[in-house]
Amino acid sequence: MTENETIFWNRILELAQSQLKQTTYEFFVLDARLIKVENNVATIYLDPMKELFWEKNLKDVILTAGFEIFNAQIAVDYQFEDDLEMMPGTQEGSQAFSSQNINPLPLVKSDLNPKYSFENFIQGDENRWAVAASIAVANTPGTTYNPLFIWGGPGLGKTHLLNAIGNSVLLDNPNARVKYITAENFINEFVIHIRLDTMDELKEKFRNLDLLLIDDIQSLAKKTLLGTQEEFFNTFNALHNNNKQIVLTSDRTPDHLNDLEQRLVTRFKWGLTVNITPPDFETRVAILTNKIQEYSFTFPQDTIEYLAGQFDSNVRDLEGALKDISLVANFKQIDRITVDIAAEAIRARKQDTPKMTIIPIEEIQTQVGKFYGVTVKEIKATKRTQDIVLARQVAMFLAREMTDNSLPKIGKEFGGRDHSTVLHAYNKIKNMIVEDESLRIEIETIKNKIK
Ligand code: ADP
Ligand code: MG
């Protein structure tokens, strides 16, 4: 791209971001590409399903940027995947991609966590099957066990394995369309697309994957949200029929996903179901020995064994213990972690007193803001656009519902408003959710994020 083209494109992104909700921006704009601007025509490469949205919502943005940068009225020519493949290698078109040196279709954001791999997953008897099946699936996706269903208690490595499968597939084939998503976020996306009336986009996005990794499927069971299970069922079938790999994790077996439709449960059992159980002492020592390499302290063997003896049901606790120790050791400037120091550092964690969780109002404002694409600052300020007002009132509603702050205190946290304003917002939302099912679901979704 020429310098002006780059400036032009950045300006478009900037304007679009300022005009759209963050989630909308991310979904519709982030994966688009400018190919060139020639003879006052901007060629923009786009997912075909998004053309209508651009036509409807971003024309002015392009015009504005065009006048600013090229001092001309810029028209748009949208290009899609197929056009590009068939384009007779116009110099500029092919250059645009080769200079980026990436696959011309980076349309799927995998959302994988790159830190999870098979290499840094310690095997023991408790997870050997799950690891073997995961590696098999990563090596030949869609052909061995489909779906692969991994279940087990919290902190035992399900999310780690799921990401390791995705990372491994992408390493072998960087063009693979891989998506990691929690069932919770699947539901959120579903809600957003219903709201924007763009269900086709969602279908397009999920049904063209090569590998779908769904984490914590049990949360799909809890939701009675009309249509999500249906949509998931259809997605599942579309992928499965095309021999595309699906991997699911859950905190229980398919048969115990009580609120899930039976036809889904049946499908989950089509492939292979594997269980992970808590690591035995040997594995815990191995996990710790591996983990402490990330720290600069010396851990004598007896300290490691002491720690391995303290936490026996959850790898996350083992990692947490190392973090506790690192805090204390840094504070006291200690290099060598004796059993005594370790014991002192993990005392609080061991006591395991279920603490009353106190939810800060700021946290509510942050999560509500994130959901509606509004900043905390805007929530606290006085601007009264529709989105901001809704976000503000929902946040006030939740602040009243989820905390025991007084109305005046809540008002104060919302830019010094009067207590009657808070009460008004509270009553208003309370009444609205009786009528408005989708608002109720939105609020439930936000609540789950806050807890
Ligand atoms: P789950 O999804 O089952 O609740 P996670 O995958 O989030 O558990 O694991 C919790 C933490 O423990 C992660 O940081 C993960 O890397 C680590 N972990 C779990 N099992 C192992 C293992 N066998 N080897 C190395 N790290 C592990
Ligand atoms: Mg997990």
Side-chain angles (χ1 to χ4, degrees):
M1 275 206 278
T2 66
E3 197 182 336
N4 268 349
E5 285 170 340
T6 307
I7 297 173
F8 171 67
W9 185 241
N10 286 340
R11 184 66 182 141
I12 290 177
L13 296 183
E14 191 180 43
L15 289 168
Q17 192 166 20
S18 71
Q19 293 186 10
L20 302 171
K21 286 189 194 171
Q22 187 63 18
T23 41
T24 314
Y25 172 76
E26 281 170 13
F27 183 75
F28 286 102
V29 182
L30 268 190
D31 55 13
R33 299 272 178 276
L34 176 69
I35 295 172
K36 60 180 175 183
V37 182
E38 211 173 61
N39 304 326
N40 290 340
V41 177
T43 307
I44 293 176
Y45 168 67
L46 204 62
D47 179 342
M49 303 305 291
K50 298 180 182 168
E51 184 186 5
L52 202 65
F53 178 89
W54 276 69
E55 268 297 302
K56 256 167 69 182
N57 300 290
L58 294 172
K59 256 193 151 150
D60 290 348
V61 162
I62 296 167
L63 271 182
T64 310
F67 277 114
E68 280 179 23
I69 284 87
F70 295 107
N71 204 13
Q73 179 162 343
I74 301 289
V76 190
D77 174 26
Y78 294 109
Q79 297 275 337
F80 310 115
E81 174 178 0
D82 294 346
D83 305 343
L84 279 179
E85 275 167 10
M86 287 183 291
M87 249 194 323
T90 57
Q91 284 296 325
E92 306 229 14
S94 41
Q95 252 176 20
F97 285 126
S98 58
S99 65
Q100 288 176 359
N101 200 19
I102 46 167
N103 160 27
L105 245 188
L107 288 179
V108 183
K109 225 173 118 256
S110 74
D111 286 325
L112 288 166
N113 185 335
K115 90 175 183 200
Y116 293 137
S117 67
F118 288 127
E119 284 74 33
N120 61 17
F121 194 81
I122 306 295
Q123 293 194 40
D125 289 337
E126 321 75 36
N127 58 32
R128 213 175 295 287
W129 255 109
V131 176
S134 298
I135 291 177
V137 159
N139 288 341
T140 50
T143 51
T144 33
Y145 312 115
N146 201 12
L148 174 62
F149 190 100
I150 305 171
W151 69 276
L156 298 183
K158 300 183 296 295
T159 298
H160 187 133
L161 275 181
L162 204 55
N163 279 277
I165 293 172
N167 286 323
S168 160
V169 165
L170 274 182
L171 204 66
D172 289 346
N173 176 6
N175 294 333
R177 302 174 140 256
V178 177
K179 179 82 183 170
Y180 166 90
I181 190 166
T182 59
E184 186 80 44
N185 277 338
F186 183 84
I187 297 169
N188 290 347
E189 290 217 5
F190 182 85
V191 172
I192 288 170
H193 282 86
I194 287 203
R195 209 179 143 83
L196 293 174
D197 197 17
T198 52
M199 273 309 289
D200 287 351
E201 312 275 352
L202 188 78
K203 292 192 170 75
E204 170 82 11
K205 175 167 164 184
F206 280 96
R207 294 184 194 176
N208 287 327
L209 294 170
D210 297 315
L211 170 60
L212 175 59
L213 305 160
I214 299 253
D215 210 354
D216 293 320
I217 192 71
Q218 74 275 357
S219 39
L220 191 67
K222 274 188 294 187
K223 304 287 152 125
T224 46
L225 177 51
L226 216 66
T228 36
Q229 290 197 19
E230 172 83 21
E231 181 54 30
F232 186 74
F233 179 76
N234 292 333
T235 304
F236 186 102
N237 285 342
L239 292 173
H240 199 273
N241 288 341
N242 287 319
N243 294 326
K244 304 300 187 183
Q245 181 70 46
I246 303 155
V247 187
L248 308 132
T249 74
S250 161
D251 66 357
R252 61 203 84 166
T253 68
D255 285 325
H256 286 91
L257 292 165
N258 289 337
D259 297 322
L260 212 62
E261 291 177 21
Q262 193 52 42
R263 55 184 185 159
L264 268 176
V265 173
T266 309
R267 271 164 178 68
F268 292 168
K269 295 195 288 189
W270 274 353
L272 180 71
T273 299
V274 288
N275 178 216
I276 306 183
T277 52
D280 65 13
F281 184 77
E282 247 52 73
T283 313
R284 298 200 299 276
V285 169
I287 290 173
L288 282 169
T289 308
N290 181 54
K291 266 276 156 198
I292 56 175
Q293 292 169 15
E294 291 169 19
Y295 295 87
S296 54
F297 313 108
T298 311
F299 284 84
Q301 190 62 20
D302 58 345
T303 305
I304 293 176
E305 290 180 2
Y306 164 76
L307 287 171
Q310 296 300 305
F311 302 97
D312 58 3
S313 62
N314 184 325
V315 179
R316 199 174 285 130
D317 281 344
L318 283 178
E319 293 186 348
L322 290 181
K323 286 189 187 132
D324 295 345
I325 290 169
S326 140
L327 266 177
V328 169
N330 274 327
F331 182 68
K332 298 194 168 176
Q333 306 206 339
I334 295 166
D335 289 332
R336 196 183 148 81
I337 312 297
T338 61
V339 172
D340 285 350
I341 292 161
E344 183 199 328
I346 65 170
R347 186 149 7 121
R349 185 174 294 273
K350 277 302 289 178
Q351 273 172 355
D352 203 28
T353 39
K355 283 181 231 112
M356 245 286 282
T357 46
I358 296 169
I359 300 165
I361 292 178
E362 172 94 6
E363 168 68 7
I364 294 176
Q365 292 166 332
T366 306
Q367 292 300 339
V368 172
K370 250 196 209 154
F371 189 87
Y372 289 110
V374 170
T375 64
V376 172
K377 221 166 136 192
E378 285 172 322
I379 289 182
K380 290 186 177 182
T382 51
K383 205 167 152 202
R384 296 193 55 85
T385 65
Q386 210 180 346
D387 279 346
I388 298 178
V389 170
L390 179 66
R392 188 180 294 142
Q393 293 184 332
V394 167
M396 287 182 180
F397 171 81
L398 288 176
R400 173 115 204 261
E401 259 222 325
M402 301 180 80
T403 74
D404 20 38
N405 290 294
S406 65
L407 290 172
K409 173 81 201 308
I410 295 173
K412 203 166 148 236
E413 296 276 340
F414 283 81
R417 286 183 159 77
D418 193 72
H419 77 273
S420 60
T421 311
V422 180
L423 191 59
H424 170 75
Y426 177 78
N427 287 329
K428 181 159 170 218
I429 298 293
K430 206 175 156 140
N431 290 332
M432 272 169 86
I433 52 183
V434 179
E435 310 273 345
D436 185 345
E437 165 85 347
S438 68
L439 179 66
R440 189 183 63 75
I441 292 158
E442 284 175 23
I443 292 179
E444 270 316 302
T445 310
I446 299 169
K447 249 176 145 174
N448 284 331
K449 291 234 158 95
I450 295 168
K451 270 187 223 154

